[in-house]
Amino acid sequence: MAEFDVLKNDLLLRTARGERVERPPIWVMRQAGRYLPEYHQAKGNNDFFACCRSPEIASTLTLQPIDRYDGLIDAAIIFSDILVIPQAMGMTVEMLDKKGPHFPDPLKSPTDGQYEQVMDRKVDVAQELDYVYKAITMTRHKLKGRVPLYGFCGAPWTLLCYMVEGGGSKLFVQVKTWIYKYPNKSKKLLQKIAELCVEYLALQVKAGAQIVQVFDSWAAELSPASFKEFALPYLRHISEHLPQRLQELRLESVPMVVFAKGAWYALDDLCDSGYQVVGLDWLQDPAEAVRIANGRVVLQGNADPGVLYGDKEAITTVVQNMVEGFAGGKQGWIANLGHGVTPFVNPDNLKFFFKEIHRCTAAENRPSTKV
């Protein structure tokens, strides 16, 4: 494992371990991305996945929000994508302009030939995703200990959705067909994905990731019962086996975060799923989430990303409500949005969001007046 500079700002890692802190740490999902003008300059004419596959470009993009919001945010997250695992499994994934990810040849049924190929393929994530690990190591060196670095992967359920739907969906007809018509075949594929996620995250930690997050972006498409059958067991597989794999690699365990977007009904289960941090989307009331969690985990979230299209007064109101809901955030809270930064957001509005969190959590007595 490479030698890195001593971490100067360990606020987020201390919070993730459940320690009482001087203020809540702050970062946001998709903080590196297309809403930043400098992103487009660094990206140039490269397509999205070409940027992911270039350690230099991915590292540069990761650092852009750290530089722009210097002193305001407490973590970086490596620039990559959850769909690199399906790519490593042999599937073609393209990023289409104004449409998003696209699989030209998605899995159609367990008898389509491709399913067996995917299941039989021995995936060497060390080799196939080497560019991610190089980007992580390069980024750790460039950070020089300023803030910790998140690694991440997509959750098995969400990756299955993309692999059979062929991209994003409104109705999720294909994946619902799979789980209700071919449940056993679906579970075998989910298990294979979960095992790949463990190895992928372990190698990210070996490369320098100091905390990891599992994104279950399509969790809301499952009923509570279906979530317990097709999502939760595979999330738990990751949380149970990643520490074991790190121990085998003689690496220290790192905090693990699970973010199951839209699965508000599963918060209680997620608090007992083996992750130290549970991410919340903006559909959950902070105070109610705190009550349900009852100190079992650290919570991360959960402002509505849409507030960044509003004015400063709206941002202030959302921040104050969030800070109040998380009881000031001196323990058990990582401030974040309830999903990633969306396109066309004014970077200055995000900067104001960060500043307001600092302001509202700076004093022991939280201000109640708007600015």
Side-chain angles (χ1 to χ4, degrees), residues 77-122:
I77 182 166
I78 195 66
F79 184 87
S80 187
D81 194 81
I82 64 172
L83 298 180
V84 296
I85 285 183
Q87 288 178 330
M89 297 174 77
M91 298 191 73
T92 299
V93 189
E94 305 165 343
M95 192 65 71
L96 302 183
D97 189 38
K98 298 180 180 179
K99 183 179 178 182
H102 173 65
F103 288 65
D105 188 19
L107 299 176
K108 296 178 178 64
S109 78
T111 58
D112 70 354
Q114 188 179 192
Y115 173 84
E116 291 298 336
Q117 290 177 6
V118 167
M119 292 301 299
D120 292 342
R121 182 185 175 101
K122 293 193 71 174

Side-chain angles (χ1 to χ4, degrees), residues 14 38 52 71 153 183 213 215 230 286-287:
R14 286 188 285 125
E38 56 265 39
C52 294
C153 73
Q213 178 158 323
F215 285 86
F230 295 103

Side-chain angles (χ1 to χ4, degrees), residues 190-252:
L190 286 164
Q191 181 62 30
K192 177 167 183 137
I193 296 169
E195 292 168 4
L196 293 175
C197 287
V198 169
E199 187 68 10
Y200 180 44
L201 291 175
L203 294 177
Q204 288 186 54
V205 174
K206 183 180 180 181
Q210 293 150 291
I211 182 170
V212 294
Q213 178 158 323
V214 180
F215 285 86
D216 214 348
S217 306
W218 296 120
E221 299 307 318
L222 290 168
S223 69
S226 294
F227 183 84
K228 287 185 177 183
E229 185 175 1
F230 295 103
L232 191 59
Y234 307 100
L235 292 172
R236 283 183 169 148
H237 179 91
I238 296 170
S239 68
E240 290 171 7
H241 289 83
L242 178 57
Q244 296 173 15
R245 182 60 180 138
L246 291 175
Q247 189 174 26
E248 291 172 0
L249 294 171
R250 298 184 179 179
L251 298 170
E252 292 185 9

Side-chain angles (χ1 to χ4, degrees), residues 58-321:
S59 176
T60 296
L61 297 175
T62 300
L63 288 168
Q64 285 178 344
I66 304 303
D67 293 334
R68 177 182 275 266
Y69 303 117
D70 186 34
L72 291 176
I73 54 178
D74 302 291
I77 182 166
I78 195 66
F79 184 87
S80 187
D81 194 81
I82 64 172
L83 298 180
V84 296
I85 285 183
Q87 288 178 330
M89 297 174 77
M91 298 191 73
T92 299
V93 189
E94 305 165 343
M95 192 65 71
L96 302 183
D97 189 38
K98 298 180 180 179
K99 183 179 178 182
H102 173 65
F103 288 65
D105 188 19
L107 299 176
K108 296 178 178 64
S109 78
T111 58
D112 70 354
Q114 188 179 192
Y115 173 84
E116 291 298 336
Q117 290 177 6
V118 167
M119 292 301 299
D120 292 342
R121 182 185 175 101
K122 293 193 71 174
V123 182
D124 184 352
V125 291
Q127 179 179 342
E128 295 287 345
L129 300 176
D130 180 62
Y131 58 88
V132 178
Y133 317 129
K134 287 179 178 176
I136 288 172
T137 301
M138 184 181 294
T139 302
R140 276 293 304 274
H141 285 303
K142 289 182 179 180
L143 279 168
K144 298 185 182 298
R146 292 162 68 185
V147 293
L149 179 63
Y150 271 74
F152 70 91
C153 73
W157 160 252
T158 288
L159 296 182
L160 176 67
C161 288
Y162 279 110
M163 290 166 72
V164 303
E165 293 288 344
S169 175
K170 291 183 179 180
L171 299 178
F172 291 85
V173 172
Q174 303 307 322
V175 76
K176 295 297 179 76
T177 300
W178 271 77
I179 63 172
Y180 293 125
K181 197 171 185 178
Y182 317 114
N184 292 332
K185 296 289 187 180
S186 296
K187 290 174 183 177
K188 287 181 180 179
L189 181 51
L190 286 164
Q191 181 62 30
K192 177 167 183 137
I193 296 169
E195 292 168 4
L196 293 175
C197 287
V198 169
E199 187 68 10
Y200 180 44
L201 291 175
L203 294 177
Q204 288 186 54
V205 174
K206 183 180 180 181
Q210 293 150 291
I211 182 170
V212 294
Q213 178 158 323
V214 180
F215 285 86
D216 214 348
S217 306
W218 296 120
E221 299 307 318
L222 290 168
S223 69
S226 294
F227 183 84
K228 287 185 177 183
E229 185 175 1
F230 295 103
L232 191 59
Y234 307 100
L235 292 172
R236 283 183 169 148
H237 179 91
I238 296 170
S239 68
E240 290 171 7
H241 289 83
L242 178 57
Q244 296 173 15
R245 182 60 180 138
L246 291 175
Q247 189 174 26
E248 291 172 0
L249 294 171
R250 298 184 179 179
L251 298 170
E252 292 185 9
S253 291
V254 299
M256 299 178 292
V257 187
V258 60
F259 175 59
K261 182 178 178 290
W264 54 269
Y265 53 79
L267 179 56
D268 187 51
D269 284 331
L270 289 168
C271 289
D272 287 330
S273 63
Y275 293 83
Q276 291 73 48
V277 182
V278 174
L280 307 174
D281 63 36
W282 70 96
L283 301 178
Q284 292 189 302
D285 175 70
E288 177 66 7
V290 170
R291 184 192 68 78
I292 293 171
N294 195 28
R296 289 177 289 171
V297 295
V298 173
L299 297 174
Q300 177 178 277
N302 72 330
D304 180 355
V307 75
L308 299 176
Y309 296 124
D311 59 19
K312 289 185 175 180
E313 183 178 3
I315 293 172
T316 295
T317 298
V318 166
V319 168
Q320 288 181 338
N321 290 339

Side-chain angles (χ1 to χ4, degrees), residues 335-368:
N336 205 308
L337 295 171
H339 197 224
V341 179
T342 45
F344 314 117
V345 160
N346 184 334
D348 290 337
N349 285 354
L350 184 56
K351 183 176 184 178
F352 183 75
F353 173 78
F354 293 143
K355 285 186 171 181
E356 283 297 87
I357 297 174
H358 280 272
R359 182 184 69 81
C360 290
T361 59
E364 287 187 7
N365 296 317
R366 299 183 303 281
S368 60

